[in-house]
Amino acid sequence: DIQMTQSPSSLSASIGDRVTITCRASQGISNYLAWYQQKPGKVPNLLISAASILQSGVPSRFSGSGSGTDFTLTISSLQPEDVATYYCQKYNRAPPTFGGGTKVEIK
Amino acid sequence: EVQLVESGGGLVQPGRSLRLSCAASGFTFDDYAMHWVRQAPGKGLEWVSGISWNSDNLIYADSVKGRFTISRDNAKNSLHLQMKSLRLEDTALYYCAKDIRTGPVGAVDYWGQGTLVTVSS
């Protein structure tokens, strides 16, 4: 099975900072990659599908890029409401594995 | 408004069985694949099982294969997860989740609030 590795596992940044989270697949998955945000005590929320398609209602400060094995989620200007754990998920074929998560905190 | 409401969780002894259900509304249920995703306390998301729109394709995580069975009833807009031979490591919040596509492997755009399964003696 393809493994999904996220880095870093946690980060602390200041309000307004540009934040980058990476997700690496152990084999190529084309652009079958989704990003989710899970705020503390809440259910996950789909941010991005197909590596770069922003879901309706998601702030434009979020963006995704990448293809093949290397993917990036970028928050262009970190806001207090972005405190959350972010997960990538590959869905090119079964199993649709999640990455281990990246916890984002405010410095 | 899409709603996914799970039920059936609870405290169960190791080796016993439990059946989870999910009532779906607010969308055309038989147009989409569905999934169960779980999250152990303080841990990350773990995909458990998925089912295509017409039940032709069923997929399972290796950790539950042979013990869990996913099913759906499109007439009743419901999703189920029959769990047998439960283990301590199955303790988690189980989410019912809607796929963005018809096949059993896709991203998830809606999640229920989850039902807690605790396996303990």
Side-chain angles (χ1 to χ4, degrees), chain A residues 4-49:
Chain A
M4 304 300 294
T5 304
Q6 283 184 238
S7 61
S9 57
S10 66
L11 66 89
S12 181
S14 300
I15 300 299
D17 281 356
R18 183 180 185 87
V19 169
T20 299
I21 298 168
T22 64
C23 180
R24 175 164 290 175
S26 58
Q27 299 174 39
I29 60 170
S30 184
N31 68 336
Y32 292 96
L33 193 283
W35 288 99
Y36 300 88
Q37 176 193 62
Q38 186 177 31
K39 295 183 179 182
K42 302 296 185 182
V43 302
N45 178 48
L46 178 64
L47 297 177
I48 289 169
S49 63

Side-chain angles (χ1 to χ4, degrees), chain B residues 32-62:
Chain B
Y32 297 96
M34 297 291 295
H35 300 272
W36 290 99
V37 178
R38 68 186 180 184
Q39 188 167 32
K43 302 298 183 181
L45 300 173
E46 180 187 13
W47 173 83
V48 173
S49 182
I51 184 168
S52 61
W53 68 279
N54 61 358
S55 302
D56 275 0
N57 289 305
L58 314 180
I59 52 174
Y60 300 94
D62 286 345

Side-chain angles (χ1 to χ4, degrees), chain A residues 40-70:
Chain A
K42 302 296 185 182
V43 302
N45 178 48
L46 178 64
L47 297 177
I48 289 169
S49 63
S52 62
I53 299 177
L54 201 66
Q55 299 303 292
S56 175
V58 175
S60 59
R61 63 181 179 274
F62 290 93
S63 65
S65 65
S67 183
T69 60
D70 293 316

